[in-house]
Amino acid sequence: MINESATPLFPLQSVLFPEGYLQLQIFEPRYLDMVQRCWREGRPFGVLSLLEGGEVRRRDPARGEAFVQERFQSVGTLAQIEHCETAQAGLLRIRCRGTQRFRLLSSDCLPGGLWVGQIETLADDAAVAVPPDLKPTAALLQSLLHSLEQGAAAVDVPVQPPYRWDDSGWLANRWCELLPLPPEERQRLMQLDNPLLRLELVADQLDQPGVLAGQG
């Protein structure tokens, strides 16, 4: 049973950004129960990027019956389930949207392996217009999105409406999801409180030769 004051946690080998979308297939008992409850009660769960361990629980060969202990970042993003379906017995498919960033204050691993924690939510990005010198990043994303939409189901396109092409934070976050960044760099960008600085750093990445190779 999850304490009502605790937030269920889902450590993943990815970084979720506010207003980003995440599709998952759930089959582990610890997450099946958690997801079904979150869906039923309309409550979010917290996504945190893994530092050690895997997304699927596995035994530690050096410790016999013990499981490998996951270790994860202390800043993540809450995920709200927007769609949940039973693909087959013991398998759920869910689609989530990132909402607020949060900082983990404490965490506990329950007997079944589910992590829960006490969190504090972090402030949303300030609304900062995209300055003229960075507007090409919006035009480039629109062009890339157009190419990704060709032949793809609408729900599978990685950038979803509502589009906010003149909002620095929204634009930076979408690029952070698409660019081939190392996990630690993606995490660093997500944690930045200054959305304009985040977009400037994204623009620096886009200036690198071949950065969009394989996209589209």
Side-chain angles (χ1 to χ4, degrees):
M1 180 66 69
I2 300 173
N3 186 311
E4 290 297 333
S5 68
T7 297
L9 304 175
F10 204 144
L12 292 172
Q13 289 173 329
S14 59
V15 178
L16 180 63
F17 285 77
E19 298 184 69
Y21 284 84
L22 179 67
Q23 298 192 69
L24 296 169
Q25 294 197 102
I26 311 296
F27 55 88
E28 286 193 271
R30 57 176 173 166
Y31 293 133
L32 284 170
D33 294 342
M34 179 268 280
V35 163
Q36 288 169 330
R37 180 173 181 184
C38 286
W39 174 243
R40 184 173 63 249
E41 299 178 359
R43 69 186 296 190
F45 59 86
V47 173
L48 293 159
S49 181
L50 279 163
L51 293 168
E52 291 181 11
E55 296 179 349
V56 177
R57 201 177 188 211
R58 66 183 192 278
R59 296 196 181 278
D60 185 345
R63 299 172 61 204
E65 292 298 307
F67 287 95
V68 174
Q69 190 84 324
E70 298 99 345
R71 193 167 66 86
F72 35 82
Q73 297 279 1
S74 60
V75 175
T77 301
L78 292 172
Q80 189 71 44
I81 302 172
E82 295 193 336
H83 178 77
C84 179
E85 64 178 24
T86 302
Q88 61 189 57
L91 178 63
L92 295 175
R93 291 197 180 102
I94 64 172
R95 185 167 180 268
C96 312
R97 180 175 61 87
T99 58
Q100 276 188 292
R101 296 177 304 158
F102 67 88
R103 177 175 288 106
L104 188 64
L105 302 177
S106 64
S107 62
D108 292 293
C109 188
L110 302 182
L114 178 69
W115 287 92
V116 298
Q118 299 295 329
I119 68 168
E120 63 174 2
T121 54
L122 302 177
D124 293 334
D125 280 340
V128 179
V130 177
D133 63 313
L134 293 177
K135 285 190 180 294
T137 63
L140 185 58
L141 183 56
Q142 290 175 34
S143 176
L144 177 60
L145 181 58
H146 178 72
S147 68
L148 293 173
E149 288 172 338
Q150 306 305 307
V155 72
D156 292 327
V157 177
V159 178
Q160 293 285 324
Y163 306 123
R164 301 211 308 275
W165 302 113
D166 196 43
D167 183 276
S168 292
W170 182 90
L171 183 59
N173 288 350
R174 304 295 73 80
W175 272 122
C176 289
E177 294 161 351
L178 292 169
L179 286 170
L181 301 172
E184 59 272 15
E185 178 63 12
R186 216 182 297 272
Q187 178 75 24
R188 184 176 78 89
L189 289 166
M190 185 270 287
Q191 291 185 202
L192 281 176
D193 291 327
N194 185 331
L196 183 55
L197 175 58
R198 195 182 311 136
L199 185 58
E200 289 171 344
L201 293 171
V202 161
D204 290 342
Q205 290 286 337
L206 290 170
D207 283 339
Q208 300 300 314
V211 69
L212 293 181
Q215 297 282 354

